[in-house]
Amino acid sequence: PKLQCRLPGNLLRLGITPPAGLMKNIAEYAIDHADEFSLRDFGLLASAFEGVKQLNAELFEVIRSRFVKLADTAAAADVARIVRANAAFKVGDKRMLEAASARARAIIDSFNPGDLIAVAEAYAKLGHADAELTEAIRARAERFDPKHRAAIAAALGDENEKKKFGPPGGGGDDEGGAN
């Protein structure tokens, strides 16, 4: 499973688009051997399918089901990858999003800015409001620099917060945020 999950992502990083036949074979293998895959494996695989813009609905259903079953073992990057990839194809379902939200809140301090942004954007894209998760993301964002706080605020749709820190890519006022 490790090679199956990493190969497409490695090819993408090299600027090579994995052939559709390879992606199909990997999906079939992952579906047939889902119990052999960790959430990290599935997160990498979901990201690869997102990267090549190929939805395999059956594979993503397997990923969501496994995520719900194993959510309390997920690392922050696993949550971010799986939620982001599902949002990219607009296929996330309520049970997966609720499991991801609960896990994200439980391990919120382990999220880096990029993963927080990915989760916030994914929930917004899927139209799944979660006040507790939003508050946890806001609280975690307070510990980052102004640039990242602005990007997270933008992902959450917090116009007032975004103005305090400036545009996501550009500096902002270091005195404007919570200390």
Side-chain angles (χ1 to χ4, degrees):
K2 305 290 184 230
L3 177 62
Q4 297 276 341
C5 297
R6 290 178 176 84
L7 179 60
N10 289 338
L11 289 172
L12 287 168
R13 279 189 286 289
L14 292 171
I16 301 168
T17 301
L22 173 67
M23 297 302 287
K24 180 178 182 252
N25 288 342
I26 290 172
E28 288 172 357
Y29 182 87
I31 291 164
D32 291 343
H33 299 91
D35 290 341
E36 298 173 18
F37 286 73
S38 69
L39 287 181
R40 182 169 193 269
D41 297 333
F42 276 130
L44 293 169
L45 199 51
S47 288
F49 274 84
E50 177 188 8
V52 297
K53 296 175 178 52
Q54 292 179 18
L55 171 63
N56 181 303
E58 186 179 1
L59 173 64
F60 271 74
E61 177 55 37
V62 168
I63 291 171
R64 287 191 300 275
S65 294
R66 294 291 293 163
F67 184 86
V68 169
K69 184 176 182 179
L70 302 171
D72 57 344
T73 67
D78 304 331
V79 173
R81 284 184 190 116
I82 290 171
V83 171
R84 184 189 65 227
N86 275 271
F89 296 115
K90 296 184 179 167
V91 295
D93 62 25
K94 185 177 178 178
R95 63 192 171 89
M96 188 268 306
L97 292 170
E98 288 174 354
S101 176
R103 182 60 178 166
R105 290 190 317 269
I107 61 169
I108 197 72
D109 288 337
S110 65
F111 277 83
N112 65 40
D115 289 342
L116 278 182
I117 292 165
V119 169
E121 288 176 344
Y123 274 76
K125 189 172 196 172
L126 292 169
H128 187 83
D130 187 315
E132 289 180 55
L133 178 59
T134 299
E135 285 309 309
I137 290 172
R138 281 188 184 115
R140 176 72 174 135
E142 290 299 322
R143 293 180 246 153
F144 297 127
D145 61 61
K147 179 181 105 179
H148 288 114
R149 289 194 307 255
I152 292 166
L156 292 172
D158 291 345
E159 290 304 316
N160 291 334
E161 289 296 308
K162 192 167 67 172
K163 287 176 189 172
K164 269 200 260 186
F165 305 117
D173 180 4
D174 285 332
E175 297 175 29
N179 295 324

